[in-house]
Amino acid sequence: MVKGDRAEWKAKYFVKIQKLLEEYPRIFIVGADNVRSKQMQQIRVSLRGIAEILMGKNTMMCKAIRGQIANNPNLEKLLPHIKGNVGLVFTKEDPVLVRDKLLENKVAAPARAGAIAPCDVIVEAQNTGMGPEKTSFFQALNISTKIAKGSIEIVSNVHLIHEGDKVGQSEATLLQMLNVKPFAYGLIVENIYDNGAVFPPSILDITDEQLLGKFSAALANVASVSLEIGYCTQASVPHSIVNGFKNVLAVAVETDITFPQAEKIKAYIADPTAFAVAAPVEAAKEETKEEA
């Protein structure tokens, strides 16, 4: 590319990213390690109509983002996360939908020597179909084997590679011999920018039920503290009213003071047999309704 063409390409790139930053409220910062051009093309096709992918040098992306900070100061929050081999995915759709689309486009890949394992690799107990002459290879990897029907059999599951470890030549060769592709590569969501907020993708896994559960627990804590220190809050008011009613009812039971809600309790206390009589009658009424 000649100097003039490169300058023109840069100008178009900055215009494009400026337009995307102005148009889309949500931006995914995605890691693109081990993603090849053919796979990237497939991902672009699957996201058509949902999101747009922009790749480029980190310095160019940061420069373009800084150019828009005057219009949208929140974009500055993106800058610390533009590091490593990353790209930007722009969208207006539900972040969960986009995240799921990206996960769908992962491609199985073999373990290559020198690569960093993105996950644990466990070789299951199995008959490998290899001849006894390969026994020394398994012994070098401390894998217990036996000869069954003229071939090597792995007698128990083996934790061959741990997540984050560098894949050795022997491990890579073994997995290739077993025709195992333990890794899956694709665009990995690292952070999400949504209308000025930046958060990790794990936030997308929080359900409405979990949010309601946390809110209810927090509300109960506020009510408990308020009742304990005698400070009235909206959370404690219902409990205070119920506790107050209980106190008034207790006073009414012990004195001649009465009111409609206390009369039934007083009647039960005066004639305890009413408890034994009332229960069967109510149960009989319920059975009659069900039969009808």
Side-chain angles (χ1 to χ4, degrees):
M1 182 181 293
V2 298
K3 188 174 181 180
D5 292 339
R6 183 170 180 79
E8 184 180 351
W9 177 83
K10 279 187 176 182
K12 289 181 178 179
Y13 182 88
F14 284 123
V15 169
K16 181 178 181 180
I17 194 171
Q18 177 182 350
K19 181 181 178 182
L20 293 172
L21 290 170
E22 291 175 350
E23 182 178 354
Y24 291 96
R26 298 186 181 97
I27 305 170
F28 284 63
I29 302 171
V30 295
D33 288 339
N34 300 298
V35 178
R36 301 190 176 187
S37 57
K38 184 177 180 181
Q39 183 182 358
M40 182 65 76
Q41 185 61 32
Q42 292 173 345
I43 296 173
R44 290 183 188 276
V45 171
S46 68
L47 290 177
R48 191 170 293 162
I50 299 174
E52 288 194 45
I53 301 175
L54 182 74
M55 304 299 294
K57 290 184 177 181
N58 292 357
T59 53
M60 292 182 64
M61 287 192 286
C62 289
K63 184 176 180 181
I65 291 170
R66 289 191 183 97
Q68 291 298 305
I69 290 177
N71 298 327
N72 184 359
N74 288 324
L75 290 175
E76 189 174 4
K77 298 176 183 178
L78 286 170
L79 297 176
H81 305 289
I82 307 295
K83 55 186 177 181
N85 185 18
V86 299
L88 303 177
V89 178
F90 298 83
T91 185
K92 297 178 182 178
E93 302 297 330
D94 182 357
V96 176
L97 171 65
V98 179
R99 188 271 314 270
D100 291 345
K101 279 288 186 183
L102 292 172
L103 291 176
E104 288 173 6
N105 283 279
K106 282 191 172 185
V107 174
R112 294 186 174 85
I116 302 300
C119 62
D120 291 334
V121 178
I122 297 176
V123 177
E124 297 181 353
Q126 59 183 290
N127 190 309
T128 65
M130 302 178 196
E133 68 278 2
K134 298 287 187 180
T135 302
S136 59
F137 183 79
F138 288 88
Q139 290 175 342
L141 290 170
N142 294 319
I143 298 176
S144 300
T145 60
K146 67 179 182 179
I147 304 301
K149 297 181 180 179
S151 60
I152 298 173
E153 181 176 316
I154 300 174
V155 298
S156 61
N157 292 352
V158 179
H159 199 153
L160 188 65
I161 305 172
H162 291 80
E163 182 179 354
D165 287 352
K166 184 177 289 187
V167 179
Q169 184 62 54
S170 298
E171 289 87 349
T173 302
L174 174 62
L175 292 170
Q176 186 177 1
M177 291 164 60
L178 295 174
N179 196 28
V180 174
K181 294 182 177 180
F183 302 150
Y185 295 124
L187 294 180
I188 306 299
V189 180
E190 296 182 357
N191 286 284
I192 301 169
Y193 169 92
D194 190 345
N195 290 295
V198 178
F199 51 86
S202 57
I203 297 297
L204 300 181
D205 295 323
I206 299 175
T207 63
D208 291 343
E209 290 74 17
Q210 289 174 317
L211 287 174
L212 289 173
K214 292 288 186 181
F215 180 79
S216 298
L219 196 64
N221 290 336
V222 171
S224 298
V225 172
S226 300
L227 291 171
E228 185 66 25
I229 65 177
Y231 185 81
C232 185
T233 63
Q234 288 185 347
S236 67
V237 165
H239 301 281
S240 298
I241 292 174
V242 171
N243 291 338
F245 176 74
K246 289 179 180 178
N247 292 335
V248 171
L249 188 61
V251 170
V253 168
E254 294 294 329
T255 64
D256 293 332
I257 299 172
T258 187
F259 52 91
Q261 290 83 356
E263 290 176 359
K264 188 174 182 180
I265 299 298
K266 286 189 173 186
Y268 277 140
I269 294 174
D271 183 11
T273 58
F275 288 100
V277 174
V281 171
E282 291 297 327
K285 288 181 179 178
E286 291 296 328
E287 290 179 3
T288 304
K289 288 180 180 179
E290 290 179 1
E291 291 175 1

